[in-house]
Amino acid sequence: MRPSSLEVLDLTLPVVADPELETLIETRVGQLVRQLSSTSSPSGGSRGELGVRFFEKRRRKTSGLGGWLTGTGKSEEEICWEVWKLKITLTTPRTETERMTLLRAEAPALQRTAMNIVNIVNRDKDHIPPITTSETNPFPYEILLNPRAEYDGKGIGFFS
Protein backbone atom coordinates (compact mmCIF):
# COMPACT_ATOMS: atom_id res chain seq x y z
CA MET A 1 0.00 0.00 0.00
CA ARG A 2 1.19 3.50 -0.69
CA PRO A 3 -0.22 6.85 0.35
CA SER A 4 -1.81 8.98 -2.32
CA SER A 5 -4.36 11.76 -2.61
CA LEU A 6 -7.70 12.36 -4.28
CA GLU A 7 -9.29 15.61 -5.41
CA VAL A 8 -12.98 15.81 -4.44
CA LEU A 9 -15.02 19.03 -4.61
CA ASP A 10 -11.84 21.18 -4.60
CA LEU A 11 -10.57 19.37 -1.51
CA THR A 12 -7.46 17.17 -1.49
CA LEU A 13 -8.00 14.09 0.65
CA PRO A 14 -5.45 11.42 1.60
CA VAL A 15 -6.14 7.91 0.36
CA VAL A 16 -4.38 4.57 0.43
CA ALA A 17 -3.73 3.22 -3.05
CA ASP A 18 -4.87 -0.38 -2.59
CA PRO A 19 -6.83 -1.96 -5.46
CA GLU A 20 -8.52 -4.51 -3.17
CA LEU A 21 -9.72 -1.79 -0.78
CA GLU A 22 -10.84 0.43 -3.66
CA THR A 23 -12.85 -2.46 -5.13
CA LEU A 24 -14.51 -3.17 -1.78
CA ILE A 25 -15.42 0.51 -1.29
CA GLU A 26 -16.78 0.81 -4.85
CA THR A 27 -18.83 -2.37 -4.35
CA ARG A 28 -20.39 -1.24 -1.06
CA VAL A 29 -21.08 2.30 -2.31
CA GLY A 30 -22.61 0.87 -5.50
CA GLN A 31 -24.84 -1.41 -3.43
CA LEU A 32 -25.93 1.51 -1.26
CA VAL A 33 -26.64 3.75 -4.26
CA ARG A 34 -28.74 1.00 -5.91
CA GLN A 35 -30.66 0.46 -2.68
CA LEU A 36 -31.25 4.19 -2.13
CA SER A 37 -32.14 4.78 -5.78
CA SER A 38 -34.90 2.19 -5.55
CA THR A 39 -36.36 3.89 -2.45
CA SER A 40 -35.76 7.53 -3.42
CA SER A 41 -38.47 9.89 -2.27
CA PRO A 42 -40.13 12.49 -4.50
CA SER A 43 -38.52 15.23 -2.39
CA GLY A 44 -35.20 14.13 -3.85
CA GLY A 45 -33.32 12.33 -1.09
CA SER A 46 -32.89 8.93 0.51
CA ARG A 47 -30.71 8.08 3.50
CA GLY A 48 -28.55 5.11 4.34
CA GLU A 49 -25.40 4.21 6.23
CA LEU A 50 -22.10 2.55 5.67
CA GLY A 51 -20.29 1.13 8.67
CA VAL A 52 -16.59 0.44 8.94
CA ARG A 53 -15.43 -1.87 11.72
CA PHE A 54 -11.78 -2.26 12.69
CA PHE A 55 -10.51 -5.39 14.43
CA GLU A 56 -7.52 -6.55 16.39
CA LYS A 57 -6.36 -10.13 15.99
CA ARG A 58 -5.66 -11.76 19.35
CA ARG A 59 -4.43 -15.21 20.14
CA ARG A 60 -6.51 -17.03 22.68
CA LYS A 61 -5.65 -20.16 24.47
CA THR A 62 -8.24 -22.87 24.10
CA SER A 63 -8.70 -25.54 26.64
CA GLY A 64 -10.19 -28.95 26.67
CA LEU A 65 -11.36 -30.62 23.51
CA GLY A 66 -10.77 -27.60 21.23
CA GLY A 67 -7.03 -27.59 21.90
CA TRP A 68 -6.80 -31.35 21.63
CA LEU A 69 -8.48 -31.42 18.20
CA THR A 70 -6.36 -28.65 16.69
CA GLY A 71 -3.16 -29.82 18.32
CA THR A 72 -2.07 -26.28 19.09
CA GLY A 73 -4.29 -25.23 21.95
CA LYS A 74 -4.40 -21.71 20.46
CA SER A 75 -6.62 -19.90 18.01
CA GLU A 76 -7.15 -16.33 16.86
CA GLU A 77 -10.13 -14.14 17.53
CA GLU A 78 -10.98 -10.75 16.11
CA ILE A 79 -11.95 -8.08 18.62
CA CYS A 80 -13.68 -4.96 17.28
CA TRP A 81 -11.99 -1.87 18.67
CA GLU A 82 -13.56 0.91 16.56
CA VAL A 83 -16.68 1.50 14.48
CA TRP A 84 -17.27 4.35 12.05
CA LYS A 85 -20.82 5.05 10.91
CA LEU A 86 -21.05 7.12 7.76
CA LYS A 87 -24.49 8.58 7.15
CA ILE A 88 -25.17 8.96 3.44
CA THR A 89 -27.87 11.02 1.74
CA LEU A 90 -28.45 10.36 -1.94
CA THR A 91 -29.88 13.40 -3.70
CA THR A 92 -31.16 13.59 -7.24
CA PRO A 93 -31.17 17.16 -8.57
CA ARG A 94 -33.81 17.89 -11.15
CA THR A 95 -31.97 20.69 -12.95
CA GLU A 96 -28.39 21.74 -13.65
CA THR A 97 -28.87 24.79 -11.42
CA GLU A 98 -30.04 22.56 -8.56
CA ARG A 99 -27.05 20.25 -9.14
CA MET A 100 -24.60 23.17 -8.93
CA THR A 101 -26.29 24.47 -5.78
CA LEU A 102 -25.94 21.04 -4.16
CA LEU A 103 -22.27 20.79 -5.15
CA ARG A 104 -21.51 24.24 -3.70
CA ALA A 105 -23.18 23.22 -0.44
CA GLU A 106 -21.41 19.84 -0.25
CA ALA A 107 -17.85 21.16 -0.59
CA PRO A 108 -17.80 22.94 2.80
CA ALA A 109 -19.73 20.05 4.40
CA LEU A 110 -17.10 17.56 3.15
CA GLN A 111 -14.30 19.78 4.43
CA ARG A 112 -15.94 20.07 7.89
CA THR A 113 -16.43 16.30 8.02
CA ALA A 114 -12.83 15.60 6.99
CA MET A 115 -11.52 17.99 9.65
CA ASN A 116 -13.84 16.45 12.25
CA ILE A 117 -12.39 13.02 11.43
CA VAL A 118 -8.82 14.33 11.68
CA ASN A 119 -9.56 15.98 15.04
CA ILE A 120 -11.21 12.88 16.51
CA VAL A 121 -8.50 10.52 15.21
CA ASN A 122 -5.75 12.75 16.61
CA ARG A 123 -7.54 13.17 19.96
CA ASP A 124 -8.73 9.62 20.67
CA LYS A 125 -5.77 7.26 20.31
CA ASP A 126 -5.58 5.41 23.61
CA HIS A 127 -7.89 2.59 22.50
CA ILE A 128 -5.88 1.71 19.37
CA PRO A 129 -4.20 -1.66 19.88
CA PRO A 130 -0.46 -2.01 19.31
CA ILE A 131 0.69 -3.19 15.91
CA THR A 132 2.05 -6.69 16.46
CA THR A 133 2.44 -7.87 12.88
CA SER A 134 4.44 -6.91 9.83
CA GLU A 135 1.44 -7.45 7.53
CA THR A 136 0.61 -4.60 5.17
CA ASN A 137 -2.68 -4.08 6.97
CA PRO A 138 -2.25 -4.82 10.69
CA PHE A 139 -5.93 -4.29 11.49
CA PRO A 140 -8.59 -6.30 9.64
CA TYR A 141 -11.71 -4.34 8.74
CA GLU A 142 -15.13 -4.83 7.24
CA ILE A 143 -17.42 -2.41 5.44
CA LEU A 144 -21.11 -2.96 6.16
CA LEU A 145 -24.12 -1.72 4.26
CA ASN A 146 -26.72 -0.22 6.65
CA PRO A 147 -25.16 -1.77 9.77
CA ARG A 148 -27.54 -3.08 12.39
CA ALA A 149 -27.92 -1.36 15.74
CA GLU A 150 -26.06 -4.23 17.43
CA TYR A 151 -22.81 -2.68 16.19
CA ASP A 152 -23.44 0.58 18.07
CA GLY A 153 -21.16 1.06 21.00
CA LYS A 154 -18.60 -1.61 20.04
CA GLY A 155 -15.97 1.03 19.52
CA ILE A 156 -15.46 4.72 19.66
CA GLY A 157 -15.14 7.46 17.09
CA PHE A 158 -18.52 7.49 15.40
CA PHE A 159 -18.37 9.83 12.41
CA SER A 160 -21.43 11.32 10.79
Side-chain angles (χ1 to χ4, degrees):
M1 284 191 237
R2 65 188 195 308
S4 189
S5 62
L6 176 68
E7 293 287 325
V8 179
L9 298 174
D10 294 328
L11 183 64
T12 303
L13 299 172
V15 296
V16 175
D18 177 6
E20 187 177 315
L21 177 59
E22 290 174 20
T23 300
L24 177 60
I25 291 170
E26 288 172 7
T27 299
R28 292 296 186 264
V29 169
Q31 290 170 338
L32 183 62
V33 167
R34 282 189 298 282
Q35 179 185 358
L36 296 179
S37 294
S38 68
T39 61
S40 187
S41 69
S43 61
S46 295
R47 296 179 190 268
E49 283 185 356
L50 289 176
V52 182
R53 294 178 26 163
F54 297 93
F55 299 93
E56 171 189 15
K57 286 184 182 179
R58 288 188 190 166
R59 289 190 185 266
R60 70 174 167 195
K61 197 164 183 92
T62 59
S63 60
L65 195 54
W68 179 72
L69 289 175
T70 63
T72 62
K74 293 183 178 180
S75 65
E76 280 190 341
E77 63 180 333
E78 291 186 344
I79 307 295
C80 182
W81 56 271
E82 184 157 299
V83 178
W84 295 1
K85 289 174 59 178
L86 307 165
K87 295 180 181 180
I88 310 292
T89 302
L90 178 66
T91 57
T92 309
R94 291 177 282 256
T95 66
E96 184 62 22
T97 302
E98 192 175 304
R99 186 179 82 75
M100 293 307 295
T101 301
L102 286 170
L103 284 176
R104 279 194 300 276
E106 289 305 315
L110 178 60
Q111 185 168 11
R112 280 190 307 274
T113 300
M115 290 309 300
N116 186 31
I117 291 170
V118 168
N119 290 332
I120 290 171
V121 167
N122 284 332
R123 182 189 70 213
D124 299 329
K125 297 179 188 177
D126 294 341
H127 69 288
I128 300 174
I131 296 175
T132 58
T133 179
S134 60
E135 293 178 28
T136 305
N137 180 15
F139 301 119
Y141 57 86
E142 67 180 350
I143 301 175
L144 305 166
L145 181 64
N146 292 314
R148 298 183 307 269
E150 72 186 56
Y151 297 124
D152 289 349
K154 289 198 175 179
I156 70 162
F158 294 98
F159 301 122
S160 298

